[in-house]
Amino acid sequence: MKNNNFFKFFSIVFASFCIFGLAGCGKKVADGSDTHLAIEDGKPVVERYGQLQVLNGTLCNQAGKPVQLRGMSSHGLQWHGKYANQDVIGWLRDDWNCQLWRPAMYLTEGGYIGNKAIKVKVIDSIEACINLGMYVLVDWHVLGNGDPMVHKAQAIEFFTEIAQKYGSYPNIIYELCNEPNGDNVTWEGNIRPYAEDVIKAIRQYDKNNVIVVGTPHWSQYVDKVIANPLQDENVMYTVHFYAGSHGKKNMNIARKALKAGLPVFVTEWGCTKESGDGGVFEKETLAWIKFLEENNISWANWSVNNKGEDSGVLKYNADRNAKGHWAESDLSPAGIFVRKILRNETENK
Ligand code: DCB
């Protein structure tokens, strides 16, 4: 009898321990599978996952286990690049549970092509992510000029330099062209030949870090890749969505690609309309988040800025000095919502 009570006491202690273990940011599992934690047992994600690789159409860690990375994208570095610093990225890791940071280097609209100096924001991002043990998605933000071929020479120069300097770090993921667009910009005619050449340049210095390639129609038509994917073991393909504009139709395109075995990475998504504004679509977002989790698809949310648009995670004018340490009152409705998703605190979980 005494023994029995003793046993009960310990069962209760053990059960509470488990419950408290589950609270907070992640679900702890003993089998070594994905916990969605930025830091686990004191170790940041890159220390745990190591060299990423693509196996059987999905992103895996060095040990060959499927892993889903999640995090935030910057806004255009020429406008809101001040947030690409270690204070903010560290806050996103520690408070938002981000495993990934995406510096979005626009080419046009005041971006890199006319203003090479903004590259420093990419370098700062990479250095910060190496220090913080996070993955960094180096985004060549093709947008205004929808055809990536237009600036292929500059892309080769840029990615060669990044691969040469940082290719030996497992933190790096290359994103070759954010959103190719335009009726005449096709997978076969433009994006694939562009990617082949840029991949060749990267692979001279970096044999294995993952490379993500944009797809036609603002990275929505990933199914166009199925007939002729690239010949590189560690390449993935981009899907983008804005939950207020892109629903079932876009999800079905992504499904088709997955069925065909294509590895998919959502390098950018928003909970608004495709303009980056127009309200926060929570229900529609959660349907996508569920789909992404079920299919082990990594993602970055658009974006960290305080300009006052609905997809920006900061309120208008909040954190003007870009220090991080945000209070809930600094966050926009999207910010509050996306932080919850990242911290595994939504109904989905
Ligand atoms: C993508 C771009 C991203 C853009 C967001 C929201 O563009 F990758 O750069 O960000 O989605 O539209 C927005 C910012 C604004 C900024 C504007 C101009 O949030 O603050 O003023 O860029 O650079 C998309 C995505 C989808 C579609 C069109 C665009 N679409 N687009 O489906 O038609 O044309 O920018």
Side-chain angles (χ1 to χ4, degrees):
M1 191 60 193
K2 242 198 167 151
N3 259 346
N4 205 8
N5 279 340
F6 194 65
F7 177 73
K8 263 190 199 155
F9 172 71
F10 269 102
S11 310
I12 290 164
V13 171
F14 182 66
S16 350
F17 185 74
C18 292
I19 288 161
F20 286 113
L22 279 171
C25 280
K27 18 171 213 184
K28 253 202 153 199
V29 273
D31 65 357
S33 64
D34 194 350
T35 54
H36 294 120
L37 290 173
I39 297 186
E40 189 178 6
D41 299 331
K43 288 188 189 158
V45 66
V46 176
E47 209 178 303
R48 304 190 321 268
Y49 291 175
Q51 180 67 57
L52 301 173
Q53 53 182 328
V54 179
L55 295 173
N56 302 317
T58 204
L59 187 68
C60 293
N61 64 16
Q62 189 165 329
K65 289 239 156 78
V67 287
Q68 185 198 23
L69 308 177
R70 308 176 313 166
M72 290 302 303
S73 175
S74 77
H75 191 267
L77 293 176
Q78 76 274 36
W79 295 307
H80 294 275
K82 66 183 175 188
Y83 296 107
N85 70 59
Q86 192 161 324
D87 289 342
V88 169
I89 302 169
W91 181 252
L92 288 169
R93 180 191 72 171
D94 296 339
D95 186 64
W96 286 47
N97 196 37
C98 288
Q99 302 165 315
L100 176 75
W101 167 251
R102 176 195 194 227
M105 192 173 77
Y106 271 63
L107 308 184
T108 56
E109 300 180 67
Y112 179 76
I113 298 305
N115 175 18
K116 297 266 189 299
I118 64 163
K119 185 175 72 182
V120 77
K121 299 295 176 190
V122 176
I123 302 295
D124 288 355
S125 293
I126 293 173
E127 298 273 349
C129 287
I130 290 171
N131 292 337
L132 293 162
M134 293 166 75
Y135 291 99
V136 56
L137 192 50
V138 178
D139 166 30
W140 182 257
H141 203 79
V142 168
L143 184 64
N145 274 310
D147 182 356
M149 277 296 193
V150 175
H151 296 119
K152 187 180 88 171
Q154 292 93 330
I156 287 177
E157 188 187 46
F158 170 76
F159 281 114
T160 301
E161 184 188 334
I162 300 294
Q164 225 169 345
K165 272 197 189 145
Y166 297 107
S168 61
Y169 291 90
N171 308 67
I172 308 292
I173 304 171
Y174 305 91
E175 183 180 358
L176 301 199
C177 44
N178 165 55
E179 289 184 355
N181 61 83
D183 290 344
N184 303 321
V185 177
T186 65
W187 173 250
E188 291 291 340
N190 312 70
I191 308 169
R192 193 181 190 284
Y194 162 84
E196 260 192 326
D197 289 353
V198 181
I199 291 170
K200 216 179 282 163
I202 291 173
R203 289 293 182 235
Q204 286 192 328
Y205 298 100
D206 182 344
K207 295 285 177 236
N208 43 16
N209 276 324
V210 169
I211 297 174
V212 192
V213 183
T215 56
H217 198 77
W218 292 280
S219 287
Q220 293 166 32
Y221 293 174
V222 66
D223 57 330
K224 301 287 184 205
V225 176
I226 296 171
N228 194 8
L230 289 151
Q231 300 303 312
D232 185 290
E233 285 179 3
N234 288 315
V235 160
M236 305 181 79
Y237 302 94
T238 313
V239 167
H240 285 181
F241 67 88
Y242 279 79
S245 301
H246 311 124
K248 281 227 167 67
K249 184 184 146 220
N250 288 59
M251 208 186 275
N252 284 336
I253 296 174
R255 278 211 176 89
K256 199 170 147 195
L258 292 171
K259 221 179 220 166
L262 290 185
V264 168
F265 199 126
V266 173
T267 59
E268 180 186 307
W269 68 269
C271 46
T272 60
K273 292 202 177 276
E274 69 196 9
S275 61
D277 224 331
V280 173
F281 293 77
E282 298 205 357
K283 194 173 101 256
E284 292 78 0
T285 294
L286 290 176
W288 273 102
I289 293 298
K290 186 160 175 263
F291 169 76
L292 300 179
E293 184 165 344
E294 281 168 3
N295 291 287
N296 195 53
I297 298 175
S298 297
W299 54 257
N301 173 256
W302 185 263
S303 73
V304 177
N305 76 75
N306 68 351
K307 70 181 266 185
E309 66 181 4
D310 289 336
S311 59
V313 298
L314 293 168
K315 270 189 192 157
Y316 177 64
N317 256 344
D319 192 20
R320 274 178 294 177
N321 299 320
K323 293 280 186 214
H325 296 275
W326 305 321
E328 187 146 321
S329 57
D330 292 318
L331 304 180
S332 67
I336 291 170
F337 179 51
V338 173
R339 175 172 175 268
K340 271 196 192 135
I341 295 173
L342 282 160
R343 289 168 57 93
N344 307 308
E345 291 169 354
T346 53
E347 300 287 301
N348 262 356
K349 289 272 152 183

